[in-house]
Amino acid sequence: MNRRIALRHLALISGGLALIPSCDFSSDDILAAYENLKVTTSQKQLLGAISDSIIPAGELKGALELEVPDFILVMVNDCMTAENQVLFSTGLAAFPAYAKNTVGKKFDQLSSREKEDLIQGGIDLQPAETPEGEKDRAISYFLNTTKKLTMQGYMASEYIQTEIIPYSLIPGPYNGAALISENQKPRING
């Protein structure tokens, strides 16, 4: 190989390497899985933190471990009207600013009790007939919908339906003389 060509390539590579640190590759792209919603990765993580605050992990798995945020986004994307999807997305986008203005910290920096109080305060918001009231209405709708769908997704998850509350499609035979112990798992349908 010619020495001049090798030096030219070396200069181009070193110049390119010098420019890489100044480039910002941390774009927050919109997730393509939800065609009707414009949800970014950071918004999905925020939704996961909110759902995990609603049903935290303890003795049982939490909402985040059961992938409830994916359930919420699928339900909003597939089952809600376009107006409600816009309201949900607006509330999701406005929630970080609401948390910052209300508590003075980002949502992920709060303690679990502060997160619960913030979520409950957002659910109980009474919006006024102002532009700020529309934002409050969107936040309240977002949090109410998130809470409802978190509980629905959690209770319908495979983990709950198979390990915690065994679900049988067809009720078993009737045995009127069976004693029920405290260790026995409840049957939810007979």
Side-chain angles (χ1 to χ4, degrees):
M1 186 169 173
N2 192 346
R3 187 180 304 163
R4 287 183 183 167
I5 294 174
L7 287 174
R8 185 181 318 142
H9 288 289
L10 184 64
L12 287 173
I13 290 172
S14 61
L17 289 175
L19 290 176
I20 285 180
S22 66
C23 297
D24 183 22
F25 295 110
S26 63
S27 65
D28 207 9
D29 293 333
I30 294 175
L31 299 174
Y34 312 106
E35 55 209 31
N36 298 332
L37 295 175
K38 304 296 185 230
V39 178
T40 63
T41 307
S42 61
Q43 288 176 334
K44 185 177 176 184
Q45 290 172 347
L46 175 66
L47 184 63
I50 292 170
S51 66
D52 197 47
S53 296
I54 294 171
I55 303 180
E59 289 181 24
L60 303 176
K61 292 181 179 179
L64 193 58
E65 293 176 75
L66 298 179
E67 299 177 2
V68 172
D70 290 327
F71 173 80
I72 294 169
L73 290 173
V74 167
M75 291 297 287
V76 171
N77 186 55
D78 294 346
C79 301
M80 291 190 169
T81 63
E83 178 183 322
N84 289 343
Q85 289 172 351
V86 168
L87 200 57
F88 182 87
S89 297
T90 304
L92 178 57
F95 185 77
Y98 167 75
K100 185 79 170 166
N101 292 338
T102 304
V103 185
K105 298 180 192 173
K106 291 184 177 181
F107 186 75
D108 58 347
Q109 297 173 342
L110 301 174
S111 68
S112 60
R113 184 68 192 154
E114 290 173 326
K115 287 179 181 180
E116 292 170 11
D117 292 341
L118 181 67
I119 291 170
Q120 190 59 46
I123 288 172
D124 296 337
L125 278 176
Q126 298 297 326
E129 296 297 325
T130 62
E132 188 65 32
E134 286 300 314
K135 203 177 278 187
D136 289 348
R137 179 175 166 256
I139 291 170
S140 178
Y141 179 80
F142 160 69
L143 289 173
N144 279 306
T145 304
T146 300
K147 182 178 177 182
K148 179 182 76 164
L149 291 175
T150 297
M151 291 187 290
Q152 180 183 352
Y154 187 79
M155 293 306 292
S157 69
E158 180 181 358
Y159 169 72
I160 296 294
Q161 293 292 318
T162 58
E163 296 180 27
I164 307 304
I165 305 173
Y167 178 81
S168 60
L169 189 58
I170 302 171
Y174 177 73
N175 184 359
L179 295 175
I180 299 175
S181 69
E182 291 182 15
N183 302 9
Q184 185 177 356
K185 292 183 180 179
R187 295 178 59 97
I188 62 172
N189 62 340

